[in-house]
Amino acid sequence: MNREEMQACPPSSIAVVGCGHVGLVTAAGMASLGHQVVGIDKNPDLVQQLSRGSVPFLERGLPELTSQMLAEGRLTFTTSYTDALREAKFVFLCVNTPPTATGAPDIRYVRMAAAALGEELATRGRQPIIINKSTSPIGTGERIDAILSTFITQDNGHSGIVANPEFLREGSAVYDFFHPDRIVIGADSEVNAQAVAQLYEGIDAPLVMTDLRSAEMIKYVSNAYLATRVSFVNEIARLCEALNLDVDPIVTGAGMDPRIGQHFFKPGIGYGGSCLPKDVAALCYTGDSAGISMRLLSSVQEINLGQRRHAVQCLRQALGTLEGRTIAVWGITFKGGSEDLRESPALDVIRLLQNEGARIQAYDPSQVTDGDLEDAVLLSEDAIDAVKGADALAVLTDWPEFTQVDFAEVLASMPGRYVYDGRNILKREHVEAVGGIYQGMGRPITHEGQFHASVSQP
Ligand SMILES: NC(=O)c1ccc[n+]([C@@H]2O[C@H](COP(=O)([O-])OP(=O)(O)OC[C@H]3O[C@@H](n4cnc5c(N)ncnc54)[C@H](O)[C@@H]3O)[C@@H](O)[C@H]2O)c1
């Protein structure tokens, strides 16, 4: 059955457990599709803030959508499972599944949420369908089922588990909720799968219906593939540096093959954030547990971490030593458009530079404050403030606004000449035209005598 064939779905009552990035987008998004939604979070401060319409993280359009849904009375927040579950026909689990040192994701919050649901639902007659959105190892749906079954007896046995992995990108999460590439629904019951599919009525996207485990696997495969592309293009960039080639026209040319494409095909200091590193590690762990050595993904991880060391090496080489040098850093978050610092490659580069005695003056356009940073990083007011007195500039996050900065002003404020573009977002000629020395990832420092590549469209 495709979306067109589905009958119009009446609004339903939904509880969303966990109101972080994924949970809040899901809650506000579902409310705007017409459903009555209650968000539950164990963090009372967060619940208070959200109830006032204040969203404590940077996500385009989310404060507006949340406030609108609160005002229209379709969205509320609570810390109480009892209150939230009173009317709920569906419960989304959107709790965090952080990494552990072994690579295995920590599913304790999923377990705790399942137990809290079980306790609350134990005596209820009609049971809600439980939909797991947290990225969780293969078999987690069955674990949730087992936990619930210890509370809910045969007589009023629970309605079942559905896996509905989330693919949103931080920074464009609201857009992604309303325009997903696909909606993946995994269930052991056709009826439950259809019921969950109907919640998305109004969103035009292909539906992928599978069993529980396959849906869980789709999420890991998607993220592992994206990470693989990044490490592939980074390895090619390193080869280009060794051969004194500019990587840009090479990957653009290769990516024009529709079988390859241009997305996630840009060199830099590597992938980071709360998802890709943990999900690749989790798939490696899953492979090990199943007796399959995930050699490609192990290399993907190794290459990714190597990019951070390589950026430091370039800066060291350009400056002679890092001891006592002042380095301006543009960008601290794991990617532009987000204030998320989790697994940020920029933070790793900063730590490595500090280890070698460099002093860091950093600017990030997000709301990052000194309190968010464990290291002694001097936070600057703006991009120009950060370069004052600096021996070099390192661009470590791909915020679009860095491409708009006037390099004449940068180099007038900065005693050093060297600009390291760890995200390949600057134009070499903008830096070199005003006397700067430019180096990017796979864009060698000397580029003399080479044919200037260009790509034209018909
Ligand atoms: N952030 C992303 O870009 C993204 C994208 C796709 C998938 N995911 C996955 O979605 C899941 C959630 O990610 P996130 O970024 O929203 O996490 P998050 O850390 O931003 O939010 C998780 C929230 O769950 C709450 N919580 C934890 N245990 C709870 C419990 N027992 N009861 C009530 N509340 C509880 C926490 O207080 C927190 O507010 C993770 O598995 C993640 O891998 C994240």
mmCIF file of all heavy atoms in Angstrom, residues 124-164:
data_model
loop_
_atom_site.group_PDB
_atom_site.id
_atom_site.type_symbol
_atom_site.label_atom_id
_atom_site.label_comp_id
_atom_site.label_asym_id
_atom_site.label_seq_id
_atom_site.Cartn_x
_atom_site.Cartn_y
_atom_site.Cartn_z
ATOM 1 N N ARG A 124 -3.294 -0.735 32.254
ATOM 2 C CA ARG A 124 -4.224 -0.128 31.289
ATOM 3 C C ARG A 124 -4.859 -1.176 30.396
ATOM 4 O O ARG A 124 -4.237 -2.180 30.061
ATOM 5 C CB ARG A 124 -3.452 0.865 30.394
ATOM 6 C CG ARG A 124 -3.167 2.153 31.094
ATOM 7 C CD ARG A 124 -3.561 3.370 30.305
ATOM 8 N NE ARG A 124 -3.451 3.271 28.872
ATOM 9 C CZ ARG A 124 -3.096 4.280 28.109
ATOM 10 N NH1 ARG A 124 -2.749 5.418 28.635
ATOM 11 N NH2 ARG A 124 -3.076 4.164 26.803
ATOM 12 N N GLY A 125 -6.041 -0.920 29.937
ATOM 13 C CA GLY A 125 -6.711 -1.841 29.023
ATOM 14 C C GLY A 125 -6.139 -1.702 27.631
ATOM 15 O O GLY A 125 -5.285 -2.470 27.208
ATOM 16 N N ARG A 126 -6.547 -0.646 26.923
ATOM 17 C CA ARG A 126 -6.085 -0.463 25.554
ATOM 18 C C ARG A 126 -4.656 0.101 25.569
ATOM 19 O O ARG A 126 -4.363 1.070 26.260
ATOM 20 C CB ARG A 126 -7.012 0.504 24.817
ATOM 21 C CG ARG A 126 -7.001 0.320 23.316
ATOM 22 C CD ARG A 126 -8.177 1.036 22.690
ATOM 23 N NE ARG A 126 -8.274 2.421 23.141
ATOM 24 C CZ ARG A 126 -7.553 3.404 22.633
ATOM 25 N NH1 ARG A 126 -6.715 3.180 21.670
ATOM 26 N NH2 ARG A 126 -7.685 4.636 23.094
ATOM 27 N N GLN A 127 -3.796 -0.546 24.824
ATOM 28 C CA GLN A 127 -2.377 -0.193 24.873
ATOM 29 C C GLN A 127 -1.953 0.618 23.646
ATOM 30 O O GLN A 127 -2.403 0.341 22.532
ATOM 31 C CB GLN A 127 -1.546 -1.474 24.918
ATOM 32 C CG GLN A 127 -1.732 -2.293 26.172
ATOM 33 C CD GLN A 127 -1.044 -1.640 27.369
ATOM 34 O OE1 GLN A 127 -0.032 -0.957 27.214
ATOM 35 N NE2 GLN A 127 -1.595 -1.835 28.551
ATOM 36 N N PRO A 128 -1.060 1.612 23.847
ATOM 37 C CA PRO A 128 -0.553 2.351 22.687
ATOM 38 C C PRO A 128 0.486 1.520 21.914
ATOM 39 O O PRO A 128 1.061 0.583 22.456
ATOM 40 C CB PRO A 128 0.133 3.571 23.334
ATOM 41 C CG PRO A 128 0.487 3.142 24.712
ATOM 42 C CD PRO A 128 -0.504 2.095 25.121
ATOM 43 N N ILE A 129 0.684 1.895 20.675
ATOM 44 C CA ILE A 129 1.778 1.287 19.896
ATOM 45 C C ILE A 129 3.054 2.042 20.240
ATOM 46 O O ILE A 129 3.066 3.285 20.272
ATOM 47 C CB ILE A 129 1.476 1.389 18.379
ATOM 48 C CG1 ILE A 129 0.233 0.570 18.037
ATOM 49 C CG2 ILE A 129 2.675 0.953 17.545
ATOM 50 C CD1 ILE A 129 -0.233 0.733 16.594
ATOM 51 N N ILE A 130 4.130 1.313 20.525
ATOM 52 C CA ILE A 130 5.409 1.937 20.899
ATOM 53 C C ILE A 130 6.292 2.009 19.656
ATOM 54 O O ILE A 130 6.536 0.981 19.003
ATOM 55 C CB ILE A 130 6.141 1.118 21.996
ATOM 56 C CG1 ILE A 130 5.187 0.732 23.123
ATOM 57 C CG2 ILE A 130 7.370 1.871 22.506
ATOM 58 C CD1 ILE A 130 4.636 1.865 23.939
ATOM 59 N N ILE A 131 6.741 3.230 19.337
ATOM 60 C CA ILE A 131 7.524 3.438 18.102
ATOM 61 C C ILE A 131 8.916 3.904 18.489
ATOM 62 O O ILE A 131 9.082 4.978 19.070
ATOM 63 C CB ILE A 131 6.855 4.539 17.230
ATOM 64 C CG1 ILE A 131 5.362 4.226 17.025
ATOM 65 C CG2 ILE A 131 7.582 4.692 15.912
ATOM 66 C CD1 ILE A 131 4.538 5.455 16.637
ATOM 67 N N ASN A 132 9.916 3.096 18.184
ATOM 68 C CA ASN A 132 11.277 3.484 18.559
ATOM 69 C C ASN A 132 11.947 4.293 17.452
ATOM 70 O O ASN A 132 12.154 3.815 16.347
ATOM 71 C CB ASN A 132 12.125 2.247 18.874
ATOM 72 C CG ASN A 132 13.492 2.648 19.402
ATOM 73 O OD1 ASN A 132 13.648 3.748 19.962
ATOM 74 N ND2 ASN A 132 14.474 1.779 19.241
ATOM 75 N N LYS A 133 12.275 5.544 17.760
ATOM 76 C CA LYS A 133 12.963 6.427 16.818
ATOM 77 C C LYS A 133 14.440 6.579 17.163
ATOM 78 O O LYS A 133 15.234 7.065 16.371
ATOM 79 C CB LYS A 133 12.301 7.815 16.860
ATOM 80 C CG LYS A 133 11.718 8.191 15.521
ATOM 81 C CD LYS A 133 11.232 9.603 15.491
ATOM 82 C CE LYS A 133 10.341 9.803 14.299
ATOM 83 N NZ LYS A 133 10.880 9.314 13.032
ATOM 84 N N SER A 134 14.792 6.211 18.401
ATOM 85 C CA SER A 134 16.207 6.305 18.793
ATOM 86 C C SER A 134 17.011 5.352 17.918
ATOM 87 O O SER A 134 16.556 4.235 17.640
ATOM 88 C CB SER A 134 16.386 5.878 20.252
ATOM 89 O OG SER A 134 15.695 6.744 21.104
ATOM 90 N N THR A 135 18.199 5.796 17.503
ATOM 91 C CA THR A 135 19.049 4.900 16.720
ATOM 92 C C THR A 135 19.589 3.838 17.678
ATOM 93 O O THR A 135 20.339 4.146 18.606
ATOM 94 C CB THR A 135 20.209 5.699 16.089
ATOM 95 O OG1 THR A 135 19.653 6.775 15.343
ATOM 96 C CG2 THR A 135 21.052 4.814 15.188
ATOM 97 N N SER A 136 19.169 2.609 17.460
ATOM 98 C CA SER A 136 19.468 1.559 18.448
ATOM 99 C C SER A 136 19.920 0.299 17.726
ATOM 100 O O SER A 136 19.482 0.027 16.600
ATOM 101 C CB SER A 136 18.213 1.208 19.252
ATOM 102 O OG SER A 136 17.424 2.348 19.500
ATOM 103 N N PRO A 137 20.774 -0.491 18.380
ATOM 104 C CA PRO A 137 21.318 -1.687 17.725
ATOM 105 C C PRO A 137 20.239 -2.658 17.264
ATOM 106 O O PRO A 137 19.132 -2.672 17.810
ATOM 107 C CB PRO A 137 22.181 -2.323 18.807
ATOM 108 C CG PRO A 137 22.244 -1.379 19.928
ATOM 109 C CD PRO A 137 21.219 -0.318 19.745
ATOM 110 N N ILE A 138 20.619 -3.451 16.286
ATOM 111 C CA ILE A 138 19.698 -4.434 15.719
ATOM 112 C C ILE A 138 19.228 -5.369 16.849
ATOM 113 O O ILE A 138 20.049 -5.924 17.571
ATOM 114 C CB ILE A 138 20.406 -5.294 14.629
ATOM 115 C CG1 ILE A 138 21.401 -4.471 13.779
ATOM 116 C CG2 ILE A 138 19.405 -6.079 13.787
ATOM 117 C CD1 ILE A 138 20.930 -3.194 13.217
ATOM 118 N N GLY A 139 17.939 -5.482 16.980
ATOM 119 C CA GLY A 139 17.389 -6.337 18.042
ATOM 120 C C GLY A 139 16.830 -5.525 19.200
ATOM 121 O O GLY A 139 16.220 -6.086 20.119
ATOM 122 N N THR A 140 16.986 -4.181 19.157
ATOM 123 C CA THR A 140 16.494 -3.360 20.274
ATOM 124 C C THR A 140 14.967 -3.406 20.366
ATOM 125 O O THR A 140 14.407 -3.428 21.463
ATOM 126 C CB THR A 140 16.989 -1.900 20.142
ATOM 127 O OG1 THR A 140 18.403 -1.921 20.129
ATOM 128 C CG2 THR A 140 16.507 -1.030 21.294
ATOM 129 N N GLY A 141 14.312 -3.436 19.218
ATOM 130 C CA GLY A 141 12.842 -3.524 19.225
ATOM 131 C C GLY A 141 12.391 -4.725 20.036
ATOM 132 O O GLY A 141 11.468 -4.646 20.859
ATOM 133 N N GLU A 142 13.089 -5.847 19.837
ATOM 134 C CA GLU A 142 12.731 -7.066 20.579
ATOM 135 C C GLU A 142 13.029 -6.898 22.071
ATOM 136 O O GLU A 142 12.309 -7.411 22.929
ATOM 137 C CB GLU A 142 13.494 -8.263 20.010
ATOM 138 C CG GLU A 142 12.982 -8.632 18.622
ATOM 139 C CD GLU A 142 14.066 -9.198 17.711
ATOM 140 O OE1 GLU A 142 15.048 -9.765 18.214
ATOM 141 O OE2 GLU A 142 13.924 -9.054 16.477
ATOM 142 N N ARG A 143 14.104 -6.160 22.383
ATOM 143 C CA ARG A 143 14.435 -5.929 23.815
ATOM 144 C C ARG A 143 13.344 -5.078 24.473
ATOM 145 O O ARG A 143 12.945 -5.328 25.601
ATOM 146 C CB ARG A 143 15.776 -5.205 23.942
ATOM 147 C CG ARG A 143 16.920 -6.081 23.587
ATOM 148 C CD ARG A 143 18.204 -5.626 24.262
ATOM 149 N NE ARG A 143 19.253 -6.556 23.921
ATOM 150 C CZ ARG A 143 20.079 -6.404 22.888
ATOM 151 N NH1 ARG A 143 19.998 -5.338 22.137
ATOM 152 N NH2 ARG A 143 20.985 -7.313 22.616
ATOM 153 N N ILE A 144 12.894 -4.054 23.750
ATOM 154 C CA ILE A 144 11.831 -3.197 24.306
ATOM 155 C C ILE A 144 10.589 -4.056 24.550
ATOM 156 O O ILE A 144 9.931 -3.969 25.593
ATOM 157 C CB ILE A 144 11.498 -2.037 23.339
ATOM 158 C CG1 ILE A 144 12.721 -1.139 23.151
ATOM 159 C CG2 ILE A 144 10.301 -1.227 23.838
ATOM 160 C CD1 ILE A 144 12.553 -0.087 22.051
ATOM 161 N N ASP A 145 10.309 -4.901 23.583
ATOM 162 C CA ASP A 145 9.165 -5.811 23.681
ATOM 163 C C ASP A 145 9.281 -6.667 24.937
ATOM 164 O O ASP A 145 8.336 -6.795 25.726
ATOM 165 C CB ASP A 145 9.165 -6.696 22.419
ATOM 166 C CG ASP A 145 7.898 -7.513 22.294
ATOM 167 O OD1 ASP A 145 6.936 -7.206 23.022
ATOM 168 O OD2 ASP A 145 7.890 -8.451 21.487
ATOM 169 N N ALA A 146 10.495 -7.203 25.172
ATOM 170 C CA ALA A 146 10.699 -8.077 26.337
ATOM 171 C C ALA A 146 10.513 -7.295 27.632
ATOM 172 O O ALA A 146 9.899 -7.797 28.590
ATOM 173 C CB ALA A 146 12.095 -8.692 26.280
ATOM 174 N N ILE A 147 11.022 -6.058 27.666
ATOM 175 C CA ILE A 147 10.886 -5.247 28.895
ATOM 176 C C ILE A 147 9.406 -4.960 29.167
ATOM 177 O O ILE A 147 8.914 -5.140 30.276
ATOM 178 C CB ILE A 147 11.691 -3.929 28.774
ATOM 179 C CG1 ILE A 147 13.176 -4.247 28.717
ATOM 180 C CG2 ILE A 147 11.383 -2.979 29.940
ATOM 181 C CD1 ILE A 147 14.062 -3.072 28.348
ATOM 182 N N LEU A 148 8.707 -4.541 28.119
ATOM 183 C CA LEU A 148 7.274 -4.226 28.300
ATOM 184 C C LEU A 148 6.503 -5.465 28.758
ATOM 185 O O LEU A 148 5.606 -5.379 29.601
ATOM 186 C CB LEU A 148 6.679 -3.699 26.995
ATOM 187 C CG LEU A 148 7.093 -2.287 26.599
ATOM 188 C CD1 LEU A 148 6.597 -1.958 25.204
ATOM 189 C CD2 LEU A 148 6.545 -1.260 27.585
ATOM 190 N N SER A 149 6.895 -6.610 28.214
ATOM 191 C CA SER A 149 6.161 -7.848 28.524
ATOM 192 C C SER A 149 6.327 -8.263 29.978
ATOM 193 O O SER A 149 5.513 -9.020 30.500
ATOM 194 C CB SER A 149 6.619 -8.981 27.606
ATOM 195 O OG SER A 149 6.361 -8.595 26.285
ATOM 196 N N THR A 150 7.400 -7.791 30.631
ATOM 197 C CA THR A 150 7.544 -8.130 32.052
ATOM 198 C C THR A 150 6.537 -7.357 32.903
ATOM 199 O O THR A 150 6.245 -7.731 34.024
ATOM 200 C CB THR A 150 8.965 -7.844 32.593
ATOM 201 O OG1 THR A 150 9.210 -6.453 32.456
ATOM 202 C CG2 THR A 150 10.024 -8.648 31.866
ATOM 203 N N PHE A 151 6.038 -6.245 32.377
ATOM 204 C CA PHE A 151 5.070 -5.433 33.133
ATOM 205 C C PHE A 151 3.633 -5.717 32.700
ATOM 206 O O PHE A 151 2.712 -5.672 33.490
ATOM 207 C CB PHE A 151 5.332 -3.938 32.914
ATOM 208 C CG PHE A 151 6.634 -3.467 33.511
ATOM 209 C CD1 PHE A 151 7.796 -3.449 32.758
ATOM 210 C CD2 PHE A 151 6.683 -3.051 34.836
ATOM 211 C CE1 PHE A 151 8.989 -3.021 33.311
ATOM 212 C CE2 PHE A 151 7.870 -2.611 35.400
ATOM 213 C CZ PHE A 151 9.034 -2.597 34.626
ATOM 214 N N ILE A 152 3.493 -5.958 31.397
ATOM 215 C CA ILE A 152 2.133 -6.033 30.854
ATOM 216 C C ILE A 152 1.773 -7.503 30.648
ATOM 217 O O ILE A 152 2.426 -8.217 29.897
ATOM 218 C CB ILE A 152 2.047 -5.227 29.530
ATOM 219 C CG1 ILE A 152 2.444 -3.764 29.819
ATOM 220 C CG2 ILE A 152 0.646 -5.305 28.939
ATOM 221 C CD1 ILE A 152 2.734 -2.934 28.602
ATOM 222 N N THR A 153 0.758 -7.927 31.322
ATOM 223 C CA THR A 153 0.433 -9.357 31.335
ATOM 224 C C THR A 153 -0.287 -9.785 30.056
ATOM 225 O O THR A 153 -0.709 -8.956 29.259
ATOM 226 C CB THR A 153 -0.487 -9.665 32.537
ATOM 227 O OG1 THR A 153 -1.655 -8.863 32.381
ATOM 228 C CG2 THR A 153 0.194 -9.382 33.848
ATOM 229 N N GLN A 154 -0.419 -11.071 29.900
ATOM 230 C CA GLN A 154 -1.059 -11.640 28.698
ATOM 231 C C GLN A 154 -2.454 -11.056 28.442
ATOM 232 O O GLN A 154 -2.802 -10.753 27.317
ATOM 233 C CB GLN A 154 -1.179 -13.163 28.836
ATOM 234 C CG GLN A 154 0.131 -13.901 28.604
ATOM 235 C CD GLN A 154 0.679 -13.683 27.201
ATOM 236 O OE1 GLN A 154 -0.046 -13.277 26.308
ATOM 237 N NE2 GLN A 154 1.966 -13.921 27.003
ATOM 238 N N ASP A 155 -3.232 -10.875 29.537
ATOM 239 C CA ASP A 155 -4.631 -10.452 29.390
ATOM 240 C C ASP A 155 -4.746 -9.137 28.616
ATOM 241 O O ASP A 155 -5.570 -8.982 27.732
ATOM 242 C CB ASP A 155 -5.287 -10.241 30.772
ATOM 243 C CG ASP A 155 -5.287 -11.542 31.555
ATOM 244 O OD1 ASP A 155 -4.997 -12.576 30.919
ATOM 245 O OD2 ASP A 155 -5.561 -11.501 32.766
ATOM 246 N N ASN A 156 -3.909 -8.195 29.035
ATOM 247 C CA ASN A 156 -3.988 -6.904 28.342
ATOM 248 C C ASN A 156 -2.679 -6.641 27.594
ATOM 249 O O ASN A 156 -2.187 -5.537 27.556
ATOM 250 C CB ASN A 156 -4.300 -5.767 29.326
ATOM 251 C CG ASN A 156 -3.217 -5.597 30.374
ATOM 252 O OD1 ASN A 156 -2.393 -6.483 30.537
ATOM 253 N ND2 ASN A 156 -3.216 -4.479 31.054
ATOM 254 N N GLY A 157 -2.065 -7.708 27.040
ATOM 255 C CA GLY A 157 -0.761 -7.645 26.368
ATOM 256 C C GLY A 157 -0.598 -6.395 25.510
ATOM 257 O O GLY A 157 -1.561 -5.909 24.936
ATOM 258 N N HIS A 158 0.629 -5.882 25.436
ATOM 259 C CA HIS A 158 0.810 -4.589 24.766
ATOM 260 C C HIS A 158 0.666 -4.711 23.257
ATOM 261 O O HIS A 158 0.704 -5.799 22.696
ATOM 262 C CB HIS A 158 2.138 -3.953 25.171
ATOM 263 C CG HIS A 158 3.338 -4.631 24.621
ATOM 264 N ND1 HIS A 158 3.825 -4.343 23.393
ATOM 265 C CD2 HIS A 158 4.151 -5.581 25.159
ATOM 266 C CE1 HIS A 158 4.890 -5.085 23.178
ATOM 267 N NE2 HIS A 158 5.104 -5.840 24.223
ATOM 268 N N SER A 159 0.484 -3.544 22.622
ATOM 269 C CA SER A 159 0.072 -3.533 21.215
ATOM 270 C C SER A 159 1.178 -3.851 20.230
ATOM 271 O O SER A 159 0.914 -4.162 19.084
ATOM 272 C CB SER A 159 -0.484 -2.164 20.853
ATOM 273 O OG SER A 159 -1.693 -1.981 21.481
ATOM 274 N N GLY A 160 2.431 -3.703 20.665
ATOM 275 C CA GLY A 160 3.516 -4.031 19.753
ATOM 276 C C GLY A 160 4.490 -2.890 19.562
ATOM 277 O O GLY A 160 4.222 -1.744 19.910
ATOM 278 N N ILE A 161 5.644 -3.248 18.967
ATOM 279 C CA ILE A 161 6.750 -2.305 18.777
ATOM 280 C C ILE A 161 6.923 -2.047 17.292
ATOM 281 O O ILE A 161 6.834 -2.967 16.479
ATOM 282 C CB ILE A 161 8.077 -2.911 19.296
ATOM 283 C CG1 ILE A 161 7.905 -3.525 20.678
ATOM 284 C CG2 ILE A 161 9.203 -1.879 19.273
ATOM 285 C CD1 ILE A 161 7.559 -2.555 21.754
ATOM 286 N N VAL A 162 7.206 -0.793 16.976
ATOM 287 C CA VAL A 162 7.510 -0.417 15.595
ATOM 288 C C VAL A 162 8.828 0.337 15.617
ATOM 289 O O VAL A 162 9.059 1.152 16.513
ATOM 290 C CB VAL A 162 6.377 0.481 15.026
ATOM 291 C CG1 VAL A 162 6.752 1.022 13.658
ATOM 292 C CG2 VAL A 162 5.062 -0.294 14.955
ATOM 293 N N ALA A 163 9.696 0.051 14.648
ATOM 294 C CA ALA A 163 10.940 0.833 14.517
ATOM 295 C C ALA A 163 10.718 1.861 13.413
ATOM 296 O O ALA A 163 10.255 1.529 12.328
ATOM 297 C CB ALA A 163 12.110 -0.087 14.154
ATOM 298 N N ASN A 164 11.021 3.105 13.716
ATOM 299 C CA ASN A 164 10.801 4.189 12.748
ATOM 300 C C ASN A 164 12.013 5.124 12.823
ATOM 301 O O ASN A 164 11.947 6.210 13.385
ATOM 302 C CB ASN A 164 9.491 4.919 13.128
ATOM 303 C CG ASN A 164 9.177 6.140 12.297
ATOM 304 O OD1 ASN A 164 8.610 7.106 12.813
ATOM 305 N ND2 ASN A 164 9.534 6.139 11.040
#
